[in-house]
Amino acid sequence: MCIRPEEGGVIVLEREALKLGSTIATHAAKYWLQRRKATYERSASLAELAQAELKGLVQRRKLENLVERIGHQVAEQLAPVLEQRFSDVPDHEAEAAILAVVYVLEDVDLSDRALLANDADPEVLAKQIRRQFPQRSALLSERAAQLHELALDQACRHLVQVVRYLPTFPSAALGEVLTRLTAQAEALDELLSRTPTTSLYAPRGVDRDEEFRVEYLSRLATTFDRLELLGLPGDDQPTLALTVAYLSLSASDGHTRRRRTASRTRPDLWEPAATEGLSVEAAIGDEHRVLLRGDAGSGKTTLLHWLAVQAARRALTGALTGWNDTVPFVVLLRMFAEGDLPRPEQFVGLSTPVVADLAPEAWTHRVLQAGRGLLLVDGVDEVPAGRRRAVKAWLRDLLDAYPGTRVVVTSRTAAADAKWLAGEGFRTVTLEPMSPVNILDFVERWHRAAELTGAEVTAAERRLRAQLERPHLRQLAASPLLCAMLCALNLSHRSELPRNRMELYAKALAMLLHLRDAERGIETLLTDTGKRVLLRDLAWRLTLGNKVELSTEEALGHLSRKLPAMPDVEVEPEAIFTHLLERSGVLRQPVPGRVDFVHRTFLEYLAAEEAVQQHHIDTLIAHAHLDTWWETVVMACGHATAKQAEQLLTGVLDEADRKPKRARRLRLIAAASLETVRDVDPAVRDRIDAVVRDRLIPPRKSSEARSLASIGPRLLRYLPADLGQFPEMAAAATVEAAVLAGAAEAMPLLASYVKDERSEVRRAVILQWKFFDPEQYAKTVLAHDLGNSYLEVPSPQFLPQVLHIGRFGGLGLSLRRHRKVDLAPLAGREGLRGMNLFGLYQADVDLSVLSTLPDLDDLFISGFDDSRLSGIDVLHGIRKVTLFSCVSRSLSQAARVFGVATDWNIGDMASVDLADLIEVPLRSLIIQHSAFDSIEPLVAIRGLKRLWIDNDVQFDYDLGPLAELELENLAIDAEVEYRGLDRIPAEIVTRRGRETG
């Protein structure tokens, strides 16, 4: 047999495992026979012992067979362990390492207690050998020494197991025992298979790992599959499963423009749904490392909990299916605002403290080392800004040690920009505000959940849906947190809902602190004002300490120190503390011994009120540049008197003038504060207006657009009706800022901006469609002639509104996750020259509408299924065809329907039959990420001038047949050795692997 060179190390390790197994079996047999008589010399050989104990050649041969079989059985267990960890050790070093183990086993002086007792410990045996032979591996290399130590540990374990397996016997019965043992090979196989494999990551073996994994995942799923219905006090909370109530939201990232301008070599990367308007689950599904950013109350923590539960139950689907083999660990950074960040061995206790003590030693390390860990890290924004560098270093160290670990890290957008973890290989995904469809879905789910409490919700839901037609409420409801508050307030009170978020927070707090208990006749220990005083004090102390939670002892201590300042309160601190936890609906105990606010927004609102009440204006100014203080400063302006607001805003602007590095953030926070301020000197307002117009507009890029949008709907009054004065990219960013700041109110501006013929500006306007009512946006904004612009349709549900849209040149539509899609609204559309359809195989769609498009000449389809084209007439107008991720080998129907196309690009086909293309009048053909048998069928296509096969294409690599063609350009992979290349006269371009053209 011919052995390839790379197999050498494996074969040597197998041979050495056999050698070691034989040694173990021989020693086990010797000690077995020595049990009966202490008179035997320990130096006696197995042959001498057999000669003394066994009569006849047949019995001695049985013993030899038994020892040989045991040696093979031990070797079968040892070989995979050695191969898995040490296949890189040179052959001669591996032999020396195992031989050193053989020698010490032959020379060691072992007592019966060490080896033969019922409670014999292989760890003690290994330590005894190491003490007796301290220089046993002195001459070995570092890797060979590691191999030697593992082999010694395993040898001791197997030796003890085999000796235990061999029974005691009287002299006369030895022959019978040998016969029985020979027939019971399976019993020893089972015993040896349970022998723990010790290593650095498994010092006590792995025999309990699977049992604990099952228990841990079950506990984890139960722990996190709970959803607190914000707006209802604890006693009224229904038992609500997160996985039932979960609402998928949309996300975007910062890579879209780069992908859209990528080469035609990988058009599948152009899919708009891959990064824009796509569900957040799909946006993160293809990544190993994700930084998930979102504003307060946008659903970041809920998403992490849902991922943990679904992964634990192996219930993830779509792009996340591959995560079902992972083991989730949830880390709340708020618990580590101080002190050391958690080590892997702490992860189980953080997620499921109840079973933490049951975890096998180093179990988490083994999970991470195997690449099966899913680390869900929540709340970068909940640690002090100065500590975030330590968080980044902690992540970097963890991933350096365990690079196969999947990680999702969450943060508010202000605390971590899109590039914060770029150096660690993270893709950044940002949660987008809820669309009108999302809002209505959320409202329905909230009321179905509230119905479980026995509440009558039908009329309340109908009333809220009607009120959400008002633009200011729809703007508030775009945040899941604020939408939940609106639902709760509407259910409790039939009066007019708040017009801004300061009113919303105030009414929500009043509802939680007093009104629900009052309506139920529940006696309270404190007045509403008394509760607010205590909660404000706790919130301010947390804010000053850059914390979001306290220990129970700390919280009780703060209450005890505050109560003497409240003469009307005579209740003991412990009783008040318990009352606040049980009845306030604002304070809670997330885990035993820790206290936090039900949502950080309430903490910030109350801290802001306390700062104003206690006149801590200078403290607010000093911290205004910190992202963790943004909301506190903004809401402090809403609580402030006119004089306080003037002092605060003037101080922030003065600080911006003095400190250029902090200027943008400070000016933004001053402008954002005009959203909440009730009364301020006109001169201060004029100063802020001038700063916004002269220093902040226009935003130069998307990240600046997002920060500018933090000003809120007020930003719209600063934006011009015509963007012609701005550079193209700045104008596009201005479009984004307008939508993020004002949503529905921005529509008149967008109707003006769409007339700007610059491609990036018009594209930015088109991309905002998903944030608005589809029909209204189509009629108001997109009805304008869009020229050759590319229309990205957010989902098939938007297709009927295409009838209201003016002329456009290209269309992109994702069919993924949609069973039935009707393309009829596109029928007869003039001017539509290019169409991209993504995920065709997942949808039931009639493609015959393509034949009604008079100007269509460029078609891209991913998830292509050749059978979908049966029954469709030849499309004579199409000249360029791109077919990716094909689910069938055949291209026969495609060759018929697109039979006049001269430019083809096919890819991601496990096997393609090139013979299907011989009747097509091809001039250009790109094949990538595909496999076929031979290039020879292409010889029949005499008009072929350009052929690219440079991107992961597998075949017999014989290009000789192409010599018969008059090729002008041939692109091949620089890393592949082709045959017949010297016979081809065409210009040859070599590329490396996945380069794009």
Side-chain angles (χ1 to χ4, degrees), residues 337 341 380-392 415 420 546 625-628:
L341 288 158
V380 170
D381 55 286
E382 295 182 350
V383 298
R387 186 166 169 75
R388 291 172 197 159
R389 183 174 297 177
V391 171
K392 184 188 291 189
W420 188 65
N546 283 315
H625 65 284
L626 298 174
D627 59 82
T628 49

Side-chain angles (χ1 to χ4, degrees), residues 410-439:
T410 71
S411 175
R412 286 190 182 181
T413 51
D417 63 29
K419 298 179 181 179
W420 188 65
L421 288 175
E424 285 68 37
F426 279 70
R427 173 188 177 187
T428 299
V429 173
T430 302
L431 283 173
E432 296 182 341
M434 290 198 295
S435 68
V437 174
N438 289 147
I439 292 171

Side-chain angles (χ1 to χ4, degrees), residues 132-411:
Q132 192 171 341
F133 300 94
Q135 300 298 316
R136 67 198 178 284
S137 60
L139 299 179
L140 299 175
S141 68
E142 182 180 357
R143 286 290 288 156
Q146 294 171 357
L147 168 58
H148 170 83
E149 296 300 334
L150 176 64
L152 178 60
D153 283 339
Q154 290 301 102
C156 291
R157 287 183 176 275
H158 285 91
L159 183 56
V160 170
Q161 291 282 45
V162 172
V163 171
R164 287 177 180 170
Y165 165 75
L166 298 172
T168 57
F169 58 91
S171 180
L174 179 54
E176 180 183 342
V177 169
L178 280 172
T179 300
R180 187 170 69 247
L181 287 173
T182 303
Q184 293 178 343
E186 294 82 1
L188 181 59
D189 272 336
E190 182 179 353
L191 179 67
L192 292 175
S193 68
R194 294 200 303 267
T195 301
T197 301
T198 58
S199 69
L200 174 65
Y201 291 101
R204 296 287 178 183
V206 297
D207 51 317
R208 292 173 48 235
D209 280 15
E210 181 60 20
E211 181 182 7
F212 179 76
R213 186 188 70 85
V214 172
E215 176 65 17
Y216 169 74
L217 293 179
S218 174
R219 293 282 184 180
L220 180 89
T222 301
T223 300
F224 288 99
D225 194 13
R226 298 171 182 170
L227 184 64
E228 188 174 88
L229 203 60
L230 194 64
L232 299 181
D235 289 352
D236 290 338
Q237 285 289 338
T239 302
L240 187 61
L242 168 62
T243 46
V244 174
Y246 177 75
L247 173 65
S248 177
L249 299 177
S250 296
S252 63
D253 72 8
H255 302 290
T256 305
R257 187 167 290 111
R258 176 181 60 77
R259 294 186 178 202
R260 289 284 302 155
T261 56
S263 160
R264 186 179 175 83
T265 307
R266 282 308 302 263
D268 56 324
L269 294 181
W270 301 348
E271 180 173 3
T275 53
E276 299 178 0
L278 179 65
S279 70
V280 65
E281 302 82 29
I284 68 177
D286 293 332
E287 305 295 328
H288 260 71
R289 303 175 184 182
V290 175
L291 171 61
L292 179 68
R293 303 164 70 238
D295 295 329
S298 58
K300 302 181 294 296
T301 300
T302 300
L303 172 62
L304 282 201
H305 291 181
W306 180 83
L307 285 172
V309 174
Q310 294 294 84
R313 291 176 175 162
R314 298 180 60 84
L316 293 166
T317 58
L320 291 170
T321 301
W323 295 32
N324 285 326
D325 291 327
T326 62
V327 176
F329 302 104
V330 180
V331 176
L332 304 179
L333 286 177
R334 66 171 65 181
M335 299 174 63
F336 300 95
E338 298 175 338
D340 294 334
L341 288 158
R343 301 181 303 278
E345 53 267 29
Q346 296 174 270
F347 289 174
V348 171
L350 296 176
S351 301
T352 57
V354 174
V355 298
D357 291 340
L358 300 178
E361 186 177 353
W363 178 77
T364 304
H365 287 277
R366 289 194 292 282
V367 170
L368 298 175
Q369 195 265 343
R372 297 184 63 192
L374 172 58
L375 186 59
L376 304 170
V377 183
D378 190 34
V380 170
D381 55 286
E382 295 182 350
V383 298
R387 186 166 169 75
R388 291 172 197 159
R389 183 174 297 177
V391 171
K392 184 188 291 189
W394 169 73
L395 283 168
R396 185 187 305 118
D397 291 345
L398 190 68
L399 294 174
D400 284 346
Y402 304 112
T405 303
R406 293 182 185 269
V407 189
V408 180
V409 179
T410 71
S411 175

